[in-house]
Amino acid sequence: MSPARDRTPPPRREVAWPPLGSRALLTAPGEEPRATVVEDVDGDAVAVAVPPLRKGELEPPREGDPFELSWPGPRGLVVVPVLLRARVRDGVPLWWLQVAGGPDVKQRRSFVRSEAVLPFPARVVVDWQLPERGSAAGELQDLSEGGLRAHLRATGPGADCPEGAGVAVRLTLVDVAHGAADAVEGVDVTEHELFGTVLRSGRLLEDPDACEVVVQLHDDRAQADALRRLVFAWQRRARRS
């Protein structure tokens, strides 16, 4: 006779969920994060608005599929592993997510960062989709492999870059190109396409028409390696100046 199957439910893991209506990011393994909104909570489960389908995506995920749900907290980006528990189609379509592990807080301060040490301002353009589409542009203030800080102005109608929003960031760097014997030959223009989450956004006291935005960048090994080399190069240049 085979032993009885253990049907003891898994222990409940209490999570300090963000307030209802908060923006969050939902990430499937190996995919880019998708923007969503927290709609309801029930102990160790949370309901989020169904994120938009990706181009060419035909089948929705199945119950039990793993994800990571993340949102900005006071100490950094909170990341919680979850499983899709149920898909609700009545009224507002929702996905109920069940906690599958303890929360992790990723802090931007754990990375080495540097001010932009360049002969020309480092330009930043930030685009977001929720709660409504918007864009802002301005200058980079400092950078690390894990995040960036920039001073931005909105480029169209709408509110400032919202905290908790998933954003696409285009970073344009212009530097002097040197040739033989360190002779100046022209300029080098480099662009970086980055993705992240807005941790903090607020108006500048010295310039009320602009806002300071702090973005925590999503994990990407190749991207992190490139940014780390850039930060170290800026630090070496700053020490020589």
Side-chain angles (χ1 to χ4, degrees):
M1 182 176 178
S2 60
R5 186 177 179 181
D6 184 6
R7 298 183 180 275
T8 303
R12 291 173 65 91
R13 296 183 175 93
E14 295 297 334
V15 174
W17 299 113
L20 300 187
S22 297
R23 289 174 288 275
L25 294 174
L26 193 63
T27 309
E31 295 185 0
E32 288 294 330
R34 309 189 206 194
T36 186
V37 176
V38 175
E39 298 287 358
D40 198 1
V41 297
D42 181 16
D44 59 352
V46 60
V48 300
V50 175
L53 291 176
R54 298 186 183 280
K55 184 178 180 179
E57 185 177 16
L58 300 178
E59 294 293 331
R62 294 176 293 182
E63 293 182 9
D65 282 356
F67 293 89
E68 284 186 341
L69 186 69
S70 57
W71 64 90
R75 295 188 297 114
L77 190 68
V78 182
V79 182
V80 178
V82 294
L83 300 176
L84 178 59
R85 189 176 77 180
R87 290 185 285 126
V88 179
R89 300 175 180 84
D90 296 335
V92 178
L94 300 174
W95 286 357
W96 274 98
L97 308 171
Q98 185 78 37
V99 172
D104 182 28
V105 178
K106 298 183 178 180
Q107 295 179 310
R108 178 174 176 260
R109 291 188 298 273
S110 62
F111 300 104
V112 176
R113 67 177 184 265
S114 172
E115 294 182 355
V117 184
L118 292 166
F120 306 97
R123 300 294 298 171
V124 177
V125 177
V126 176
D127 297 304
W128 61 92
Q129 300 293 325
L130 291 175
E132 59 184 17
R133 182 176 297 179
S135 180
E139 294 183 9
L140 179 72
Q141 301 302 305
D142 63 55
L143 176 72
S144 79
E145 64 188 88
L148 60 85
R149 181 171 61 93
H151 291 173
L152 307 175
R153 296 174 186 270
T155 58
D160 292 337
C161 188
E163 292 183 355
V167 292
V169 180
R170 184 168 67 255
L171 176 62
T172 303
L173 308 175
V174 181
D175 203 351
V176 175
H178 294 277
D182 209 30
V184 175
E185 290 190 342
V187 295
D188 282 330
V189 179
T190 306
E191 287 198 346
H192 296 268
E193 297 287 342
L194 313 171
F195 297 93
T197 302
V198 178
L199 288 184
R200 189 171 69 248
S201 177
R203 292 280 175 163
L204 292 170
L205 293 178
E206 64 273 23
D207 186 359
D209 292 332
C211 63
E212 181 173 82
V213 173
V214 175
V215 177
Q216 182 141 16
L217 299 176
H218 299 156
D219 290 336
D220 183 311
R221 178 167 297 180
Q223 167 186 292
D225 289 344
L227 296 182
R228 188 184 308 115
R229 290 192 296 270
L230 186 61
V231 167
F232 288 159
W234 287 350
Q235 289 181 327
R236 289 193 297 270
R237 181 177 292 182
R239 287 194 293 267
R240 291 196 301 266
S241 61

